[in-house]
Every structure is written in C-alpha cells, then in structure tokens.
Amino acid sequence: MFFLTYLRRELRRRMRQAIFIALGLALGIGLVVTVTAASTGVKKAQAEVLKSLYGVGTDITVTGKAPKPLAPGSGPPRGGQTFQVGPGGAQVCTNGKCHSAAGQTIDHLGSDSYGPISQSEVAAIAKLSHVKAVAGGLTLTDTSIKLPKNFGQPGGSFPTPSSFTVQGVDTSHLSLGPVSSGTMTSGRSLRGTDSTANVAVVDSGYAKAHKLKVGSTVRIMKHNFTVIGIVRQPQSGSPPQVYIPLTRAQALGTAFGGKSLKNDVNTIYVTADSAANIPAVQREIEDILPNDTVTSAASLANQVTGSLSSTSRLANDLGKWLSIVVLIAAFALACLLTIAAVARRVREFGTLKALGWPTRRIVAQVMGESLVIGIVGGAAGVGIGFAGAAIISAVAPELSATIPGSTGPRVVSGGPGGPSARAFGPALSHTVAVPMSASVTVAALVAAVVLAIIGGLLAGSFGSWRITRLRPADALAKVA
Amino acid sequence: MYQLTDVTKLYAKGRHTVPAVRDLTLRIGDGEWLAVQGRTGHGKSTLLNLLGGLDRPTSGSIQLDGKDLARFSESQVTRLRARSIGFIFQTFNLVPTLTAAENVETALIPVGIGAGERRRLVDAALDSVGLADRSRHLPGELSGGQQQRTAIARALVKEPKVLLADEPTGNLDEDTRDEIINLLEKLWRERGLTLILVTHDSAIAQRAQRIGVMSQGRLNLGAPAVRPDSDG
C-alpha cells in the first residue's frame, strides 16, 4: 500500500527526529504511567488498611465518643484498673474499689477509646432511608495483669500486662464489620445460633503467636471461650484478634466509667443502598448521634497519616503535576518538530498538490506519520512506566499508616497515686507498616495509549494546519 | 485547447500591487508546443501556474476545453490537475525517500487507479523514458538527467492532455539538456500533447511551434524559427 510505503520511508529518513519526538512522548507517558502506578499502589495500600478496619461492604462506621482521658490528680476510673503504691502498700483498684494487689491477676474487658452507644440507636439507623444494612459491634480490649507476690514491696517486681483485642460481633449481621474482610483458614465462622455461646474466632496471626487452633480455649474475663475458627485477615489495619458473639461481649465488658455494656455497642457498621447516598446517610446519622463519630471510608482515608499519607499526597500532587508538565513539554516538542518538518517539506507537498493530491490526502500522510511516532512513543512510555513501577516497588521503603481511633494498648500517666500510677486500656490511634507496591493498571495502559494517540494527532494537526494553508504556487516559488 | 482572455494577475508587494501578468489574451491549440521566454521576474512562471491551475487570475478567464479554471472550486482544479495536466520542474521535485518507480506512482495516486494497474503504467512510463532498469533507485542515486527523466515519466504516466514544463533543462549540462529536450519532443509528437515550455534557452525555444516572450507581464508572440513538422 502506497500510503504505508511513503510513511515508512519518510519516518526512516527522519529517523533521528522521529526517535527524538517518540522519546519525548515516551518520557511524558512513562512518567504518567509510573505516577499512576505509584498512586494506585498507595490507594490499594490505603484501601487495604481501611478494609481491614471496616470490613467488606461497610460504607459508614459510627464510633462512640471517646471518654475523656484521665486528668492528673483525678480519682481512679470506675471502669478501668489502676494500681497504686501508697502507705498501705500496692493496691489494685477495679471499678473504684481498691484492695491489696500482691499475687493477684486482674482481668478487664473494656474500651476507653470508644464510648458506648445504645443498641436502640442501631435500630434507629436501620430505619433511615437509603440504609441497606446495619450491624452493631463492640470493639474492646481484654487486659490481663498478673501482679507478682512481692509487688509493692521494696525491690519488688513490676507487673507486666498482657492484652488482646476482642470484637463483639452481631451474629445476625456477619456480612458487616471487620470479620467480613477475613478468610477462614480452619474451622468455621460465627453464626446466628452462637449468639449466647462462649465461642470465638481467632485471627490467624494471633493464633500462631499463641499456638491456638480450633478446639483451643481463649480466656476472657475468667470465662473460657472455645476457638471454633481461625480467620486470616489483612494485617495492615491491625484487625481484632478475637471475635466473640456480641451478646457475650456485652455481658462481660464494661465501659470506661464502669458501666455495664449490656444493650450497648461502641461501633456501628452501616451500608448505604448506593455509593451516591453515602453522604446523605452520613448526615442523617450525624443528626441522630451528634456526639459520636460518624466516619465514611473517604473521611477515614483523610484521617490516615504517616508516610503512607505523605506518599499519597506526593503521588497525587507533585507526581500529577510533574507528569502534566512533562507531558505538555513533550507534546509541545512534538508539535514544534512536526511543524519544522513540514516547513522543510514545503516543496514536496507543493509538488504533490501540483500532481493533484488533495490536501486531505497529504494531511492524512502527515497525520499517519505523527500517529506512528505517537504510538511508538506510547509503547516506549508503557515500557518506561512498567520499569518505573518495578523500580518503585523494588526500592521504595515500607510505608507506615497511622490510623485514628483503633484499638491497642496504651499507658497513661496520672491518677491519685501520683506519678507512679498507670492505667491500661486501648489506644486512640496506632501505626501499621504498609508495603509499597506500584502496580500498572489496565486503566493506566489505556490512558497511555490515549495520550500517545492524542500526542500524535496533536503534533500532526499542527503540521497539517500548515499544509492546509500551503498554496502550491507559493510552495513551488520558494524553490524556483 | 486553452483560451485565455484578458488575464491579469496582480501580486501585493508591501503597499504596492505588482502586475505579474497583464491583459493576456492567448489561444493555445490542442497538440501545440508553445515556448515561453523572457527575463527573470517578467511573469513566465506565473503564466505557467495560471495555466496549471496552481494560481488564479486576478481578472480574466482561463478556459481549458471550454471550462473556466478561474471559476473552478479548489477541489475541481485539483481533480483537473490530477487527470489532465502534467508538470515538469527545473529542480525535478522528486520525493527523496521514494524510488524512481514510486515517484512516478505518486502521479497516479489521486487518479484512483488500482495498485496492479499502477505498477503496469509506471513500468511503461519508465520504459518510455529509458529508465526501466533504474526503477528501484532513489533520486539521490540517479544523475540529474535521470532524475529529470523520472520527473517526465511522472508527468506523463497519467497520460495528460497538457504538459507544463518550467525550465526543465535549467539544472542540466548541455549533453543532458539535448537528451531531455529530444525526449520531450519525441513524447510530444507521439502523444499529441499540448506542451507549454518555459525556458531561457533560445536553442530550445527555437524547436517549439510558437515562441512567446514575456516582458513586464505581457506576452509577445512570434513565429517559430523551426517547426517540428517542417524539414528544417
């Protein structure tokens, strides 16, 4: 076909220039693909973190308002354990009652991260329009402190607390909440008939660390819970370690002030009937529970801090603008070089017009040449993009994400015992390590192809504009 | 047959208007060979451009077989050039990346002939100018005379009615000049072409049926010294 022969020969003649233009486009497109891949990787990491917190299918999470932290000099909290060293020796105070601590083991199941929300509010949320499903949950921490016999005596040992996170799961709504994001590796998950049973599903990481398997027992508040299943979950969000039926968690847990959690939850998981209605549902819930924290996936993502968040901003802001600038420069370069090439070929195009070639046929020839350069540049750009993504994955350090309002141990100074007083309970935030992996998506590849075609067509259009204005008599007069 | 009536072509040059062709009335018969001479800048090439539809007159009419080129749309003129008018340039104007055969083929692209037929016509055209064995050579691999032969083959491959040659021997040495003019004359005779040839060379002009001299945009026609159909 003459069109292709002419095109091939012309590109071969201008090989160096064609390669130069293609490389410019490749650089721009490669950068776009790399930045998109990095951004996608960061988003995936964020999604992984959020998914592990929310569970699959949860659009909105409501958490009870966190109780005020202990103020220095205030009395012992009724719902927590404190121990203090005073004139009467070491004492442990549970729910405000203090007694000698030596040799005792104290156990506490509660949360000072999230305040209680009445379970009736779950029903109220379920009645809202655009709400598809609702489940309440209790996010708690079981803290166990074994006090040595010589505790409080001169030279006595200091106790070491151990704790694990416990999630009370509404067994009638198992599709919502953190447990839904896991995969059962052995045994079974909780089910509706387990609502009052002392059964537990254990996170695989926790089970491995504590040599637990199906049939083992987990002790919570002096009650043995039989492990009925092991679940593997994304670890990036520090998932709960033990899942028990909500009713049992309510019966055993206490709120920060010592109040029983019976008929209370501290987390509510909500699914809207469509993504478009999430903001409206969020607003309605905020009206019902004005003192509590209503968080959508989007707003929680904004609260994630740490290097993951910084990298996300870097990819979205600097990376995006850098890509745009390089792309514009590459397009401009391609356009200028194409115009220059057309200017050098004025005699050729004038001759073709004299031979009776319609302008559109000459334009098609130039557009074809530009398009091929664009496609070659796009292909090279995709290669550069893959290479860039591979380099990022290979050399990028592990990122960290600091997630607000999740559970974990913390140590708080203060209390009536003065500086030596300690309280153990859940933390308000925690930091998790997130592996950074840049992945090139199909969408990025499609974008690269589209950009390549746009770049080629744009350059060709500028060249063609010159051709359409070319009068054959003028073109031939330049060389006559 | 060309019929030019009161053709004037003006060019804007700064604030002034310069007449390149003035009130030209001329008839060129089918199969006629007209040589146009004149000093540089006196309107020879402009006249050729007007005859080839590469430029439009400021006033007057240029009729080819009764159709006024001045009234044609751009696409109509383009089609006319594609089918009926062949051009030969002083600098050959071959596409440097295409072989001799492909350069000749460029003239057939706008005519809409199939690839097989195009190849046959190109081979015949190159054969008629004695370049059958150079068909795969690039212009850079050909001598000046061979390049001009290629350009002649390109002009004639579509079998036009009119051949417009703008100083076709201007870039050639004397021997090659004679060779090209002999070839043109032979083809003109064989094909019954209407040949309008612009030249500075009086020896070449003398071989035409008629000679016109362009001076200040006006064409002064004279009788040829030697008629191709005469003995001398």
Side-chain angles (χ1 to χ4, degrees), chain A residues 1-2 5-6 9-10 13 347-348 350-359 361 471-474 476-477 479-480, chain B residues 9 49 54-55 78 81-82 85 87 89-91 93 95-99 102 105-107 109-110 118 138 154 158:
Chain A
M1 193 180 174
F2 189 83
T5 305
Y6 191 8
R9 297 279 177 76
E10 195 52 45
R13 176 171 71 150
R347 177 171 69 169
E348 180 181 325
T351 304
L352 292 175
K353 284 195 171 187
L355 293 177
W357 279 46
T359 300
R361 181 69 170 77
R471 292 175 62 247
D474 294 340
L476 295 169
V479 293
Chain B
K9 177 65 185 178
N49 287 341
L54 298 177
D55 214 342
T78 300
R81 281 201 300 269
I85 302 173
F87 286 91
F89 307 97
Q90 180 181 353
T91 49
N93 291 16
V95 180
T97 52
L98 300 179
T99 64
E102 288 159 354
E105 195 178 354
T106 56
I109 296 300
R118 284 207 306 267
L138 292 171
R154 179 180 65 185
K158 59 192 176 189

Side-chain angles (χ1 to χ4, degrees), chain B residues 136-172:
Chain B
R136 291 178 182 276
H137 287 239
L138 292 171
E141 298 165 346
L142 299 173
S143 68
Q146 288 171 329
Q147 288 187 53
Q148 194 59 295
R149 282 167 179 265
T150 306
I152 292 169
R154 179 180 65 185
L156 298 179
V157 68
K158 59 192 176 189
E159 298 184 350
K161 287 185 59 142
V162 178
L163 183 59
L164 303 175
D166 192 356
E167 302 191 38
T169 59
N171 271 12
L172 303 175

